[in-house]
Amino acid sequence: MPKPLHSFTTATQPILRPIQAPQKHWQAFLMAVGVAITLGSASYASPVSAEPPETAPAALKETLTAIDKAASSHNIQSVLAFYGPTFTHSDGLTRQTLEQALAQLWKRYPNLTYRTELKSWKSQGKGITAETVTYVTGAQKVGERELKIDSTLQAQQQFENQKIVRQDVLAERSQITSGTNPPTVKLNLPAQVNAGQQFSFDAVVQEPLGNDLLLGTALEEPVKADGLINPTTVDLELLSAGGIFKVGRAPLTANSHWISAVLVRQNGMTMVTQRLRIVNRAKKPTP
């Protein structure tokens, strides 16, 4: 589950610091949705040189449609039938841990629906490498409140005999809203930074606040297989401006983090999560 951004550290120093100091702390019960909702995860792979979707084999298109149907029906065994026995994943998921993650997710969010678009494909080795974008929507009741979920993941998947044997995600963004008046939030965060690089993170409310108070916080968590879905209690700060504004410096080692902003106004809450990839700097060629 994401942690406050001040805990996102290098070996010795926090990498993020607030530009505006908080005035007061509040408490709120929140939930985060991890990458299992789109059957994908982080990637450092480069996109393949590929063919347009309209030229893709019918078997590939039919397989993607069948996966969406099985996932939207929350039929775990039908979904797993599309994954090879030696399935590998850059976040460390296996076929077994994927099954566990989906079971937890669908128990918590019983009406998620999936829609996948094929963006490109390429014959490669014994199979096909496909780049896809999956859209996931749904809702969950928490007491009298309804949480609405909207998530998008761009993934690169390797198929052999209509089964996924390797999976990587190129981009990831999820949003959870609740209440009758959730803030409209614009998140400014790079998709990728170099190890040790400084970057900015802004989450800006788009509509005028009027007399509403705005509470919020930023959270982060390294991407890992056992951090997909967990509830947590977080501190919310009373914000003096219409958003959250932070700067940070990436760790010195390559990895990925989920970075989240939570913003609460009267009668509404929005939580936006985006994946930040941290990569090693490309070495300059030796003269």
Side-chain angles (χ1 to χ4, degrees):
M1 177 69 198
K3 306 298 189 295
L5 279 169
H6 57 67
S7 70
F8 187 1
T9 62
T10 61
T12 58
Q13 295 292 328
I15 75 161
L16 289 169
R17 56 182 175 82
I19 294 175
Q20 297 175 340
Q23 299 177 15
K24 191 173 182 181
H25 290 278
W26 299 74
Q27 292 286 323
F29 182 74
L30 303 169
M31 294 192 179
V33 177
V35 294
I37 59 179
T38 52
L39 312 180
S41 190
S43 171
Y44 306 112
S46 299
V48 296
S49 176
E51 303 295 331
E54 57 268 20
T55 65
L60 175 59
K61 296 179 181 178
E62 292 167 0
T63 296
L64 293 174
T65 299
I67 294 173
D68 280 347
K69 182 178 180 180
S72 296
S73 301
H74 297 186
N75 189 325
I76 292 178
Q77 294 309 313
S78 292
V79 171
L80 292 177
F82 292 100
Y83 286 77
T86 58
F87 166 70
T88 59
H89 196 287
S90 54
D91 282 353
L93 281 171
T94 64
R95 203 168 180 272
Q96 180 180 3
T97 55
L98 176 62
E99 178 179 7
Q100 295 169 351
L102 289 175
Q104 292 175 26
L105 177 74
W106 291 340
K107 181 178 180 181
R108 191 180 300 278
Y109 297 94
N111 64 351
L112 291 178
T113 59
Y114 296 72
R115 179 176 64 86
T116 298
E117 295 180 0
L118 177 64
K119 292 300 182 181
S120 62
W121 70 281
K122 181 180 177 66
S123 294
Q124 198 166 24
K126 298 179 180 179
I128 291 175
T129 297
E131 186 172 316
T132 61
V133 176
T134 299
Y135 304 91
V136 184
T137 57
Q140 180 211 19
K141 275 281 191 179
V142 180
E144 297 299 317
R145 306 183 94 188
E146 182 180 61
L147 301 180
K148 296 180 180 179
I149 303 159
D150 190 348
S151 181
T152 303
L153 268 82
Q154 183 178 354
Q156 185 173 292
Q157 303 172 91
Q158 184 178 347
F159 289 84
E160 292 181 5
N161 299 319
Q162 284 80 57
K163 294 184 184 294
I164 300 171
V165 297
R166 172 71 187 178
Q167 200 162 45
D168 303 282
V169 164
L170 307 175
E172 174 190 6
R173 190 178 180 113
S174 298
Q175 178 174 282
I176 300 175
T177 59
S178 70
T180 59
N181 191 28
T184 303
V185 179
K186 181 179 180 181
L187 196 67
N188 297 314
L189 176 72
Q192 176 177 302
V193 295
N194 292 323
Q197 179 182 340
Q198 182 172 295
F199 63 93
S200 298
F201 171 64
D202 302 332
V204 184
V205 176
Q206 297 297 285
E207 58 270 316
L209 292 171
N211 294 324
D212 283 356
L213 295 177
L214 182 67
L215 310 178
T217 193
L219 309 102
E220 64 81 26
E221 183 187 27
V223 172
K224 52 186 179 180
D226 60 356
L228 295 178
I229 326 166
N230 286 298
T232 191
T233 299
V234 299
D235 288 332
L236 294 181
E237 303 166 355
L238 179 59
L239 303 175
S240 58
I244 297 170
F245 307 91
K246 292 181 179 289
V247 294
R249 188 171 298 279
L252 299 177
T253 55
N255 55 20
S256 290
H257 280 69
W258 288 306
I259 308 293
S260 302
V262 182
L263 290 159
V264 180
R265 62 182 297 178
Q266 186 176 9
N267 299 324
M269 182 273 293
T270 299
M271 177 176 182
V272 184
T273 299
Q274 183 173 309
R275 183 182 294 255
L276 174 67
R277 299 198 309 273
I278 300 161
V279 301
N280 291 321
R281 293 177 182 270
K283 293 183 179 180
K284 294 182 179 180
T286 303

